[in-house]
Amino acid sequence: MTPFGIAGIQMNLQHGNNVDAIEDKINVLMSLYPWVEMVVVSELAAHGPLHSFAEPMPGVTEDRFCAMAQKHNIWLIPGSFFEQRDNAIFNTAPVINPQGQVIARHRKLFPFCPFEEGVEAGDEFVVFDVPGAGRFGVCICYDMWFPEVLRTLTSMGAEVILHPVLTGTNDREIELNLARSSGALFQSYIIDVNGLGVGGVGQSCLIDPSGRVLHQAGETDEYLVTEIDFDLVRRQREVGLRSLGQPLKSFRDSKINFTVYNKEQRTNDYLDSLGPLQKPTRESKSRIATEPGPSVNNDVVIPDVTQPFTQHKIAEPNDDLNVVDYGNLALDHSGDNPSAANEPHKQLNLTIAAKETVDLSAMTKVAESVKIEIDKNSAGTESENGNLKWLKDASAQFKQYIKS
């Protein structure tokens, strides 16, 4: 076992300076759980979701967090805050080591457009190693809605996904499902930390590499503390999730060329037809996405479902049929096969041909002999009478079928 102590801080946040409150929370956390080696805070925790607090990195806020990490000798991912860089604003999460040094900065790859306006998208993936433990990857909130992000981090060796979140909307339940499924799909721990107040609706969660919930927070201030085991990740990636599926190996060994991931090869006709990425307006409420047009990808075959799929076999007179087969001959399949409705005489001829192959008088004699045999044995035991009653009923039904 390779254990590692990690904690998430779910706390009430406001517009403005939350750095002092975060420091207080970290001080209490480390007093209660001195074995914790890494602390993760939620997205935009430092100042809330207002661009007016954006600052360069390194800067005053980042320096404060570096001092906290050094004080407690912990790895610290203090959520994210807005960074001014190259005349643009990024949603950035620094990674700080126990010596108080920033070793990486993850800039959110998918700002929550069209709602997170004025924020530029990052274009780099961040993974980092903790000596004696394992490899971590970082993504921020909406990044997780794109499995390509986590697949890339996993392909780079990430065993734990650190996921600061700011979700205050009614899709938090979906996000929790994404966290669980991502843990299973990529056989990784998911450390999903949401805020409260202007920082979200809480419900942070810790997921293990088989998709199990280690801890699910409520909607109040809370520490999410656990010990993760890197050997569990490595074992499951070797033998399969819960000793079953091995999705990372299957993806690696697949012969499929996923052209959707190659901008030069993929076809965007349908995606382009969806229109611009913008907030809905009152006028747009009456519009819906267009119907997909014909596929131009030669590798994709879309069946024509307008034609009948089910085909009914027409029995030949000499076929060895049972009673059920003959009963089916009388069914009207004209709704399934339009040609049957146009040629009703074929159905009549088929019924006549089938009857001609059956010796009705012989079948009647057999049924009568069965009835006589039943009457002779009517004085048998109770269990025998039960069997004979069934045979008698069957004989009667058979005779009725012959007459019809």
Side-chain angles (χ1 to χ4, degrees):
M1 180 177 181
T2 306
F4 184 83
I6 190 168
I9 297 179
Q10 175 176 290
M11 60 180 291
N12 202 319
L13 301 165
Q14 60 184 359
H15 294 297
N17 183 9
N18 294 303
V19 178
D20 293 338
I22 294 172
E23 184 172 15
D24 289 341
K25 287 288 187 181
I26 293 176
N27 290 338
V28 174
L29 170 69
M30 296 310 301
S31 176
L32 292 173
Y33 308 102
W35 49 268
V36 165
E37 301 168 74
M38 178 181 289
V39 175
V40 182
V41 188
S42 61
E43 179 187 15
L44 298 178
H47 303 297
L50 292 180
H51 297 178
S52 57
F53 291 96
E55 62 182 63
M57 292 186 183
V60 176
T61 300
E62 192 176 63
D63 288 345
R64 288 280 309 273
F65 287 128
C66 289
M68 298 177 205
Q70 185 176 23
K71 173 184 176 181
H72 295 289
N73 192 34
I74 57 173
W75 291 84
L76 178 61
I77 292 80
S80 65
F81 47 99
F82 287 124
E83 174 193 15
Q84 288 181 344
R85 179 173 179 261
D86 298 334
N87 297 319
I89 294 177
F90 294 85
N91 186 340
T92 304
V95 177
I96 306 171
N97 69 14
Q99 291 73 46
Q101 302 166 333
V102 176
I103 64 166
R105 295 185 181 95
H106 172 68
R107 296 175 178 89
K108 191 173 183 179
L109 301 171
F110 286 91
F112 189 41
C113 296
F115 298 95
E116 195 173 348
E117 296 178 325
V119 179
E120 293 293 322
D123 58 4
E124 296 179 346
F125 295 90
V126 170
V127 297
F128 63 95
D129 292 326
V130 172
R135 183 165 294 180
F136 295 78
V138 184
C139 66
I140 298 175
C141 202
Y142 201 42
D143 288 346
M144 185 171 282
W145 287 69
F146 303 87
E148 297 81 1
V149 173
L150 270 66
R151 185 169 299 284
T152 301
L153 294 174
T154 304
S155 298
M156 296 169 71
E159 300 167 299
V160 179
I161 304 298
L162 306 174
H163 187 222
V165 177
L166 192 170
T167 299
T169 47
N170 61 9
D171 57 350
R172 179 58 181 162
E173 180 183 357
I174 301 173
E175 203 164 54
L176 294 175
N177 290 330
L178 285 174
R180 286 198 63 190
S181 59
S182 296
L185 282 173
F186 303 106
Q187 296 173 281
S188 300
Y189 282 99
I190 307 292
I191 310 300
D192 179 284
V193 183
N194 196 16
L196 297 166
V198 301
V201 294
Q203 299 178 327
S204 303
C205 64
L206 307 178
I207 309 297
D208 82 355
S210 64
R212 294 187 175 98
V213 178
L214 297 175
H215 183 77
Q216 173 71 67
E219 299 178 7
T220 59
D221 283 25
E222 189 169 341
Y223 295 125
L224 294 85
V225 184
T226 193
E227 189 175 71
I228 60 179
D229 179 13
F230 285 92
D231 285 351
L232 176 61
V233 178
R234 294 158 193 169
R235 177 63 176 167
Q236 286 210 128
R237 289 181 175 182
E238 175 63 30
V239 302
L241 182 145
R242 305 183 189 181
S243 298
L244 297 169
Q246 301 178 35
L248 299 185
K249 294 180 182 179
S250 295
F251 182 83
R252 177 201 65 193
D253 297 343
S254 173
K255 296 180 181 179
I256 300 174
N257 176 24
F258 292 96
T259 56
V260 69
Y261 291 132
N262 189 320
K263 289 188 176 181
E264 296 179 356
Q265 292 182 320
R266 73 186 183 195
T267 301
N268 276 346
D269 291 353
Y270 172 68
L271 296 180
D272 290 341
S273 74
L274 300 180
L277 178 60
Q278 61 187 18
K279 289 183 180 179
T281 63
R282 293 181 182 179
E283 289 74 17
S284 66
K285 286 185 177 181
S286 61
R287 296 199 300 269
I288 59 175
T290 60
E291 179 182 355
S295 174
V296 297
N297 186 344
N298 294 330
D299 297 331
V300 179
V301 177
I302 301 179
D304 183 3
V305 296
T306 61
Q307 298 299 322
F309 180 77
T310 304
Q311 296 182 1
H312 299 280
K313 177 184 177 183
I314 302 299
E316 296 296 332
N318 294 327
D319 284 353
D320 184 14
L321 302 176
N322 58 26
V323 174
V324 176
D325 292 325
Y326 275 104
N328 286 339
L329 293 178
L331 295 177
D332 180 11
H333 293 301
S334 60
D336 300 323
N337 189 349
S339 62
N342 297 330
E343 301 179 85
H345 64 280
K346 288 186 178 181
Q347 181 68 40
L348 178 60
N349 292 339
L350 180 62
T351 304
I352 294 173
K355 287 185 177 181
E356 288 176 351
T357 64
V358 180
D359 188 343
L360 297 183
S361 61
M363 294 176 67
T364 304
K365 290 179 180 179
V366 172
E368 290 292 346
S369 64
V370 171
K371 182 177 184 302
I372 294 171
E373 188 67 23
I374 292 172
D375 294 337
K376 288 181 180 180
N377 294 279
S378 59
T381 62
E382 181 179 348
S383 61
E384 291 173 340
N385 285 338
N387 293 332
L388 292 173
K389 183 179 183 304
W390 175 86
L391 186 58
K392 184 176 180 180
D393 291 342
S395 175
Q397 294 177 11
F398 191 48
K399 287 181 64 178
Q400 181 61 34
Y401 171 77
I402 294 172
K403 292 179 181 179
S404 63

